[in-house]
Amino acid sequence: MSEPATLPHPVAGHAGHLTVALVGNPNSGKTTLFNALSGLRAKTGNFPGTTVERKVARVEMAAETVVLIDLPGLYSLHGGSPDERVAADSLLGRLHDHLPPDIIVVVVDATNLERNLFLASQVLELERPVLVALNMMDEADADGLKLDPDVLRMELGCSVVAISARDGRGLADLRLEIAEMIAKIRANERAAPACKPSCSHCSGCPFQARYDWTEGVSSRATLRAKSIARSERTDRVDRILTAPLSGFLVFAAVMLGLFYLIFRAAEIPMALVEGFFGSLQSAVAGWLPEGDLRSLVVDGIIGGVGGILVFLPQICILFFLLALLEDTGYLSRAAYLMDRVMRLVGLPGKAFVPLLSAHACAIPAIMATRVIDDRRDRLVTILITPLMTCSARIPVYAMVVALLFPNNPGKAAVVVAGSYATGIVMALVIAFLFKRTILPGEVSPLLLELPNYRMPSVRSALLRMVDRGWIFVKQAGTIILLISIFLWAAATYPKSDAPPEVAAMNAQAEALEGEGKAEEAAGVAAAAANLEAQHALEHSFAGRIGRTIE
């Protein structure tokens, strides 16, 4: 092991703060660790100039604020997917205005040490300060797997900390180790030795040679072999959940439960949101004098904000349940199962869950398309999502079938079911056409890992739910609010004089009031107000555009 060498003082990429990047294989628990370290302080956005998502948080370590970055999961620094390329470019400092991280924490799945060490060996060769977080030690213990972090530390030539991000085991030691590395960096010392793995190959060594090295390191660091009980249980369950018949039945049941909860569990909070904003509108309308200002505040702003937040319960429930399904390992099986069917129309299996959730609301469905890796497949899914029948169309369907078949519930049910089916069929047809015309290309091959089944982390799911909910309010909500205000203006201007019938009806209402017929007078006055509002809408910009389209 070489002696520590001095480093030039690092140039931090975030306003003078040191950066700590978490990197690891998919399903290694990297995001769970990020949530455990950052809590609710994380911000989600895209890497500059890309559509790849990143999470950033400012956390206190070593008596100073450091920037914690959760990089996309990857198996190799030479991966081909957009997420893998962006993660590798971030580590290498190739992104625009994005310097390499000052400290790299490689999150390694202790139950799959040999596979995870492949990426770790590549990161170590970057000659940056590196710390290996040996995660999922709780599962390793449950499997009867015994690892020696000290042996692994000698083999890798860098610090190794055994942790369990899910239950918090070892996180204090991890923070302490990072704090010591920060202190050394601040003292212009190398936080770790050269951090090259103890193999004789260069950075560009053949894959097979690197795999041979990782196999040797894994075997030397393993004191007791892994029990095959968990793998056998996983295989037995997979024989049911991924089989053509039983797999689809289970999948249908899971999706039905997801669909039901998005619809039903959100009813009460959605009603509360609607009631709150309805009461707020009434209160503000009583405070402000009648006129355009009151109309703007009550109908444009408060109505627009209420129209945004009423969808928030559905969005939160959707992403909470998806996070739980992902943590259990079932979501990977669902994507594998549906890939066989969705591929027939040019879509990946991962597109099924967003399209299904579109029956509740298209907004969270479009947000859920982030699980689709390929940009073209993701765009096709977004474009066909509005063709699905969302919950906002149900009142329209109910009104139409009530007018057409008031005394025939059987025909009414067929029409509603046919409307749902038509939306699904047309979405799949349009997807098929898009993939052969304006967005040509083959469906990206499905390459995913089927992790062992595990208990999900409710805390992590809640954090992801809050994160996605805030993204909706901040990003989609801003656009929806601006559109609401624009629509209010289009429906309000230009002003027009009331038709002569309104004056006559108001006079009739006053006469009835004088005769003591208050109820009849109120009815005539309400009809006059409705006629005046209808006339104003017809002569507004929105009304004129509507008549032109008609």
Side-chain angles (χ1 to χ4, degrees):
M1 185 179 297
S2 59
E3 290 297 323
T6 59
L7 274 179
H9 195 281
V11 181
H14 291 262
H17 298 303
L18 294 180
T19 56
V20 179
L22 302 184
V23 62
N25 289 178
N27 302 307
S28 63
K30 175 177 56 64
T31 300
T32 302
L33 175 59
F34 176 85
N35 290 334
L37 294 175
S38 63
L40 294 174
R41 292 161 292 180
K43 295 183 179 180
T44 303
N46 290 343
F47 284 91
T50 74
T51 59
V52 177
E53 186 178 273
R54 70 168 176 178
K55 296 180 70 176
V56 178
R58 296 181 185 273
V59 298
E60 295 296 324
M61 290 184 180
E64 69 173 276
T65 301
V66 300
V67 177
L68 187 67
I69 304 176
D70 182 19
L71 294 179
L74 72 166
Y75 292 103
S76 168
L77 294 184
H78 307 295
S81 72
D83 285 17
E84 288 184 308
R85 288 197 299 270
V86 167
D89 289 343
S90 178
L91 292 174
L92 296 170
R94 294 174 179 170
L95 296 181
H96 178 65
D97 292 335
H98 190 86
L99 297 174
D102 299 293
I103 298 173
I104 303 174
V105 178
V106 184
V107 184
V108 171
D109 181 359
T111 65
N112 292 284
L113 185 61
E114 181 179 332
R115 186 196 64 216
N116 282 239
L117 284 179
F118 184 91
L119 173 65
S121 68
Q122 293 181 321
V123 174
L124 288 167
E125 290 170 352
L126 300 179
E127 299 190 37
R128 304 292 302 173
V130 175
L131 168 64
V132 171
L134 194 60
N135 194 24
M136 299 187 182
M137 291 300 294
D138 55 335
E139 294 189 19
D141 293 341
D143 288 346
L145 178 64
K146 181 66 174 177
L147 301 176
D148 191 336
D150 293 330
V151 173
L152 198 58
R153 186 179 299 112
M154 293 178 60
E155 293 282 351
L156 301 180
C158 70
S159 299
V160 177
V161 180
I163 67 169
S164 175
R166 184 181 307 154
D167 58 22
R169 185 196 309 180
L171 293 189
D173 295 335
L174 180 65
R175 290 190 180 95
L176 181 61
E177 194 69 36
I178 295 176
E180 291 180 358
M181 297 174 76
I182 292 172
K184 291 180 181 179
I185 289 178
R186 288 305 190 194
N188 290 327
E189 297 176 357
R190 181 172 294 277
C195 283
K196 289 185 179 180
S198 55
C199 67
S200 59
H201 305 288
C202 65
S203 295
C205 68
F207 273 20
Q208 187 56 52
R210 193 180 295 275
Y211 276 120
D212 292 341
W213 177 82
T214 60
E215 182 181 3
V217 172
S218 176
S219 63
R220 289 189 290 272
T222 302
L223 302 181
R224 187 168 67 243
K226 177 181 178 180
S227 169
I228 62 173
R230 179 187 294 262
S231 298
E232 289 179 344
R233 289 195 300 268
T234 297
D235 291 341
R236 286 198 299 268
V237 175
D238 277 345
R239 281 196 287 271
I240 298 174
L241 297 188
T242 61
L245 178 59
S246 59
F248 277 107
L249 291 176
V250 173
F251 178 76
V254 171
M255 291 299 107
L256 180 63
L258 177 71
F259 192 32
Y260 179 83
L261 287 173
I262 292 173
F263 261 121
R264 297 303 180 194
E267 283 184 348
I268 295 178
M270 289 178 72
L272 292 175
V273 172
E274 286 182 332
F276 171 77
F277 280 97
S279 300
L280 184 61
Q281 284 179 306
S282 300
V284 174
W287 297 335
L288 295 176
E290 186 175 355
D292 287 354
L293 177 61
R294 186 175 77 173
S295 178
L296 170 62
V297 174
V298 173
D299 301 323
I301 298 177
I302 298 179
V305 173
I308 296 165
L309 296 184
V310 73
F311 295 109
L312 191 58
Q314 288 183 329
I315 291 170
C316 290
I317 291 172
L318 169 65
F319 282 107
F320 177 72
L321 295 176
L322 287 180
L324 291 180
L325 289 175
E326 183 178 5
D327 281 354
T328 61
Y330 179 74
L331 210 56
S332 299
R333 274 80 179 178
Y336 165 76
L337 195 66
M338 290 306 302
D339 190 70
R340 312 170 189 173
V341 178
M342 302 297 288
R343 191 171 289 272
L344 297 177
V345 295
L347 290 174
K350 291 183 178 180
F352 185 82
V353 172
L355 292 179
L356 178 70
S357 61
H359 286 93
C361 179
I363 295 172
I366 291 174
M367 293 176 65
T369 58
R370 283 187 177 273
V371 301
I372 303 173
D373 300 320
D374 184 79
R375 182 177 180 274
R376 182 170 51 224
D377 295 339
R378 185 166 60 247
L379 182 57
V380 172
T381 307
I382 290 173
L383 291 174
I384 66 172
T385 292
L387 295 174
M388 298 295 182
T389 299
C390 70
S391 58
R393 301 179 194 176
I394 294 178
V396 180
Y397 290 170
M399 180 184 67
V400 171
V401 298
L403 291 173
L404 294 177
F405 310 108
N407 301 315
N408 195 325
K411 289 184 178 179
V414 170
V415 170
V416 174
S419 301
Y420 271 85
T422 301
I424 295 172
V425 171
M426 288 306 301
L428 297 179
V429 170
I430 296 300
F432 181 82
L433 295 177
F434 277 172
K435 294 292 287 188
R436 282 154 182 79
T437 53
I438 62 174
L439 292 168
E442 295 298 324
V443 182
S444 301
L446 182 67
L447 298 175
L448 53 80
E449 178 186 358
L450 297 181
N452 289 330
Y453 293 104
R454 55 175 64 101
M455 288 297 295
S457 170
V458 176
R459 180 179 182 273
S460 179
L462 287 172
L463 288 173
R464 276 185 270 181
M465 178 193 75
V466 172
D467 178 59
R468 293 299 172 182
W470 176 241
I471 289 175
F472 165 72
V473 173
K474 183 175 63 174
Q475 297 181 359
T478 304
I479 297 172
I480 295 172
L481 178 59
L482 292 176
I483 292 174
S484 298
I485 296 174
F486 171 78
L487 292 176
W488 169 85
T492 304
Y493 299 103
K495 298 287 188 177
S496 61
D497 295 330
E501 295 87 348
V502 173
M505 294 173 71
N506 285 330
Q508 181 185 1
E510 291 179 3
L512 291 171
E513 184 74 28
E515 297 173 3
K517 300 177 180 179
E519 187 175 346
E520 295 182 24
V524 174
N530 289 335
L531 179 60
E532 184 177 4
Q534 180 181 354
H535 182 271
L537 180 60
E538 288 178 353
H539 290 80
S540 67
F541 289 123
R544 294 172 185 179
I545 294 172
R547 285 200 306 275
T548 301
I549 295 174
E550 184 183 5

